Amino acid sequence: MQTILGAGGTIAKDLASALTSYTDQIRLVSRNPKAVNPTDELVSADLTDAGAVRRAVAGSEVVYLTVGYDYSVKIWQERWPVTMRNVIEACQEHGAKLVFFDNIYMYDRDHLDPMTEETPIRPTSRKGEVRAQIAGMLMEAVRAGTLTALIARSADFYGPGNDKSVLVETVYKNLKQGKAANWLAGLDYVHNFTYTPDAGRATALLGNTPDAYGQVWHLPTHPQRLTGRQWVELFAKEMHVTPKASALPVWALLPLGWFVPLMKELREMVYQYDRHYAFDSSKFTRRFGIEATSPIEGVRETVRGN
């Protein structure tokens, strides 16, 4: 039995599809789970409820924590530490391995080019502080020998059927509506993105690789150094529209947040766009020999699937 906590999210769907290569016993857990595969077992649970999490994890060999709480500092601060504690304790009780799908918010903003698994941890945002706290909880249990776990870390992501991607929200949707694409801070800084089907397949592979545990892994992300302007051009070409783009200054995010809540929450993360952002997944490629999907192919499939 392999169990996904936080089923229904973008990564969870791709992960559930990928897990069929390893098992036909897949349990999907969320408040309102929906099957991805014909034989999926569905369990309704609130991950902030310790008892519900223990029941959801019971009988699992591998547990994947992929929950995507609303992009809100307040919600993250309230729910993430409780959720991580509940999941760690449930996996310890039932002897399950844990795979945590994570992001890069805890990394030192002065070391984003490149980012590797060894990049210093120094969060400089409230969201980053939450991510550092919960990743630290997991790795502390691993070091103590009470938990078998790994962290699968992703860059900002994009892909088909993805409604939580900054790239989709600010570039694809604007171009589709005949507007100029919006980019945060500076259009000429490098910024790479993880393609969600790649992330799902790689997370499933890591969870089913015994010697991958006890480590942090960057999920496969294409190394091509595209700038914001070049990403806009890729989308525009695939959509057969003019590649219009504008860089949003930080002050503009607050009024935009009245109409697009995501923009308000992005203010403290703008530092990821006012400098080069290069996510290095060469450790994964060396270990597994798997290359990430190219940006041109990823954009093509994103346009087709959104």
Side-chain angles (χ1 to χ4, degrees), residues 1-301:
M1 177 65 71
Q2 301 204 19
T3 296
I4 301 175
L5 303 178
T10 303
I11 297 300
K13 292 176 184 176
D14 288 317
L15 173 59
S17 296
L19 283 177
T20 58
S21 296
Y22 305 95
T23 181
D24 59 0
Q25 297 181 57
I26 299 169
R27 179 182 295 158
L28 305 184
V29 182
S30 68
R31 287 181 180 273
N32 298 290
K34 295 180 181 178
V36 175
N37 311 296
T39 59
D40 288 343
E41 177 186 344
L42 306 182
V43 174
S44 178
D46 175 355
L47 299 185
T48 63
D49 179 332
V53 175
R54 286 198 301 272
R55 291 189 291 273
V57 166
S60 303
E61 179 182 357
V62 184
V63 171
Y64 301 85
L65 180 56
T66 67
V67 65
Y69 285 126
D70 289 345
Y71 199 71
S72 158
V73 169
K74 185 174 184 293
I75 289 175
W76 282 25
Q77 291 170 335
E78 290 174 350
R79 298 183 187 175
W80 260 121
V82 175
T83 296
M84 181 59 78
R85 182 174 63 250
N86 289 345
V87 173
I88 288 173
E89 291 177 353
C91 288
Q92 290 170 328
E93 178 179 335
H94 294 289
K97 299 175 182 177
L98 176 59
V99 176
F100 174 40
F101 180 83
D102 197 11
N103 65 25
I104 62 95
Y105 285 11
M106 75 295 299
Y107 285 159
D108 187 333
R109 68 168 67 196
D110 295 326
H111 293 81
L112 300 188
D113 184 18
M115 287 173 274
T116 71
E117 290 84 352
E118 304 303 320
T119 293
I121 304 298
R122 186 181 72 90
T124 55
S125 68
R126 292 173 297 168
K127 294 186 186 72
E129 289 170 354
V130 173
R131 303 305 296 206
Q133 177 186 0
I134 59 178
M137 292 167 66
L138 182 149
M139 294 309 294
E140 183 179 349
V142 169
R143 288 190 293 269
T146 62
L147 178 71
T148 300
L150 66 84
I151 293 176
R153 193 160 278 156
S154 170
D156 289 343
F157 51 75
Y158 76 111
N162 190 326
D163 62 354
K164 293 187 177 179
S165 164
V166 174
L167 193 57
V168 170
E169 187 71 40
T170 64
V171 175
Y172 169 75
K173 288 185 178 180
N174 278 25
L175 292 177
K176 186 176 181 180
Q177 295 169 9
K179 303 176 183 177
N182 287 326
W183 197 266
L184 299 178
L187 280 159
D188 295 312
Y189 291 110
V190 167
H191 198 111
N192 59 351
F193 293 82
T194 303
Y195 183 57
T196 48
D198 287 348
R201 289 189 291 266
T203 302
L205 174 57
L206 288 169
N208 287 277
T209 303
D211 65 2
Y213 284 86
Q215 303 176 56
V216 175
W217 294 87
H218 279 189
L219 295 172
T221 301
H222 201 277
Q224 187 175 358
R225 292 177 64 86
L226 294 182
T227 65
R229 195 179 307 279
Q230 289 170 316
W231 279 106
V232 172
E233 290 169 353
L234 274 183
F235 271 93
K237 183 177 181 180
E238 192 61 37
M239 298 169 72
H240 307 291
V241 298
T242 303
K244 298 181 293 183
S246 62
L248 284 173
V250 178
W251 62 262
L253 294 179
L254 186 57
L256 271 176
W258 298 336
F259 307 100
V260 183
L262 175 65
M263 294 294 103
K264 179 181 178 182
E265 291 290 335
L266 278 172
R267 290 182 70 202
E268 67 173 1
M269 308 309 301
V270 170
Y271 72 86
Q272 296 184 93
Y273 290 85
D274 65 8
R275 65 201 69 199
H276 294 316
Y277 172 115
F279 186 82
D280 183 338
S281 58
S282 56
K283 173 184 173 180
F284 185 96
T285 301
R286 287 193 303 270
R287 171 64 177 81
F288 296 103
I290 296 173
E291 300 287 346
T293 299
S294 69
I296 190 169
E297 180 62 25
V299 167
R300 181 174 297 125
E301 293 303 317

